[in-house]
Amino acid sequence: KIRAVWKPHQTDSTQLAVMVNRLRGLLIACLTLQLGAVQQHSVQTPTFEMITHFSDGRCRGGLNSVFFDLGSGLSLAECKEKCISNTSCKFVLHGETNGGCTSFSECKGHIIRDGLSTYEKVPSASSTSQSPATTQSAPGEP
């Protein structure tokens, strides 16, 4: 609420300077309040989890670049973390014997292969307001 009071005994320039100073003080107070509100409001970064998509093979199509683009000799947990941190990775293939880790942008079908498992990156239940996703664990996973 801004209130200006006319004081006829002051010259126009003096009264203008007083009003400018009052407005400046009000503006600073408003910006300080807004800044405080922005600092208190934290932006939640979405978090992801990996759920089993195929426990007996890999995706057909959607390969991001080449096989093992995320590495080889990786544990399942390391492979999943690599996919979570890669924005173009929506599905990840993990080889049980060689620890190969391959990212996919989409999954157009299923190619059955022993020793390969494919996981899908989905928003974690804690980062969405929707109902929690159903998760499946691969054999040997908690």
Side-chain angles (χ1 to χ4, degrees):
K1 182 176 178 180
I2 300 173
R3 189 176 86 164
V5 178
W6 178 258
K7 296 184 180 178
H9 63 278
Q10 293 179 334
T11 64
D12 287 344
S13 62
T14 304
Q15 188 164 357
L16 181 61
V18 169
M19 289 176 67
V20 166
N21 283 333
R22 285 185 183 166
L23 287 172
R24 183 180 299 138
L26 287 171
L27 181 61
I28 290 170
C30 288
L31 290 174
T32 302
L33 288 173
Q34 287 292 350
L35 182 60
V38 168
Q39 289 174 342
Q40 289 176 2
H41 178 71
S42 64
V43 177
Q44 184 177 8
T45 304
T47 56
F48 297 95
E49 62 183 313
M50 303 301 293
I51 61 170
T52 302
H53 195 67
F54 303 124
S55 59
D56 61 349
R58 69 172 183 87
C59 290
R60 178 183 305 279
L63 185 66
N64 272 335
S65 58
V66 296
F67 284 99
F68 307 124
D69 64 326
L70 298 180
S72 61
L74 301 176
S75 70
L76 177 58
E78 291 170 325
C79 183
K80 287 179 176 182
E81 280 302 314
K82 292 241 182 197
C83 181
I84 287 172
S85 64
N86 183 324
T87 57
S88 64
C89 181
K90 306 298 181 215
F91 298 87
V92 72
L93 165 67
H94 183 257
E96 293 174 10
T97 56
N98 61 6
C101 188
T102 302
S103 67
F104 290 80
S105 59
E106 59 185 342
C107 192
K108 298 178 181 178
H110 182 199
I111 298 175
I112 297 174
R113 294 282 189 271
D114 288 336
L116 299 179
S117 297
T118 302
Y119 301 87
E120 181 179 5
K121 179 167 56 174
V122 297
S124 66
S126 63
S127 70
T128 64
S129 59
Q130 301 171 355
S131 59
T134 304
T135 58
Q136 300 174 341
S137 295
E141 272 191 83

